[in-house]
Amino acid sequence: MISTDLKEKLILLAKEAQKKAYVPYSKFAVGSALITEDGDIFTGCNVENISYGLSNCGERTAIFKMISEKGPQTKIKAIVCTTKADIACSPCGACRQVIQEFSSPDGVVIYKGENDYVTVSVAQILPGAFTEFIAIEDDGSERRIQKGA
Ligand code: THU
């Protein structure tokens, strides 16, 4: 869990990032702010494309900035998602999977629920996450692929 002060700070930063969103198609600006285990903060907004499927969500923009600036071992302690003040908005499924990939074991996600902001664990927001699989090589041997390894 994070303090109320830190939560409020991340919400404000996400709202600032939200102002920079490139959303000519949906007109739905999303902002995100995250804090890493080391206390660094990164923000992001959604960036759409006329080829709609190429659009990037605000949360993933913040996470990709985090990894590209701090390196592959960096972990999220808390990530916030904001949008229009009166609209409830929880992270999409793709963002949940990406948050899961880079979250610390006790990482949390904060988003606007029906009334106020809610804070939920990554495990709660993506139960049964895809974190490993078995690759079958051409010679029939099996290789276990695990998240981050
Ligand atoms: N969007 C986000 O940025 N984050 C989410 O978690 C949900 C959806 C964006 C994608 C698109 O630019 C717009 O919201 C409408 O779907």
Side-chain angles (χ1 to χ4, degrees):
M1 282 296 158
I2 63 165
S3 70
T4 306
D5 279 358
L6 180 54
K7 182 177 86 171
E8 296 300 331
K9 179 178 173 179
L10 291 174
I11 290 171
L12 278 178
L13 289 170
K15 292 231 163 253
E16 277 305 307
Q18 189 184 313
K19 292 178 189 161
K20 302 196 177 84
Y22 177 73
V23 288
Y25 312 108
S26 74
K27 314 278 188 209
F28 190 69
V30 176
S32 181
L34 66 81
I35 185 162
T36 69
E37 279 180 330
D38 299 334
D40 295 304
I41 290 177
F42 293 90
T43 62
C45 60
N46 48 342
V47 182
E48 298 186 340
N49 193 281
I50 190 161
S51 178
Y52 284 18
L54 301 182
S55 300
N56 202 54
C57 291
E59 301 93 313
R60 278 178 287 149
T61 302
I63 294 168
F64 296 152
K65 282 171 68 180
M66 175 191 84
I67 295 298
S68 63
E69 295 296 318
K70 291 283 292 179
Q73 304 306 328
T74 318
K75 298 292 177 216
I76 302 165
K77 182 176 168 188
I79 181 165
V80 168
C81 165
T82 63
T83 187
K84 286 179 189 155
D86 52 337
I87 295 180
C89 180
S90 70
C92 77
C95 287
R96 291 175 192 220
Q97 182 71 31
V98 175
I99 291 168
Q100 210 279 342
E101 182 89 21
F102 296 111
S103 179
S104 66
D106 56 354
V108 293
V109 183
I110 298 160
Y111 60 89
K112 184 83 167 22
E114 287 306 318
N115 298 308
D116 207 348
Y117 281 90
V118 294
T119 303
V120 295
S121 71
V122 174
Q124 271 176 296
I125 209 169
L126 189 63
F130 179 58
T131 57
E132 64 176 16
F133 64 96
I134 305 289
I136 314 273
E137 306 291 0
D138 288 345
D139 66 3
S141 63
E142 293 185 354
R143 197 160 49 93
R144 188 185 204 86
I145 312 290
Q146 287 175 301
K147 187 184 84 172

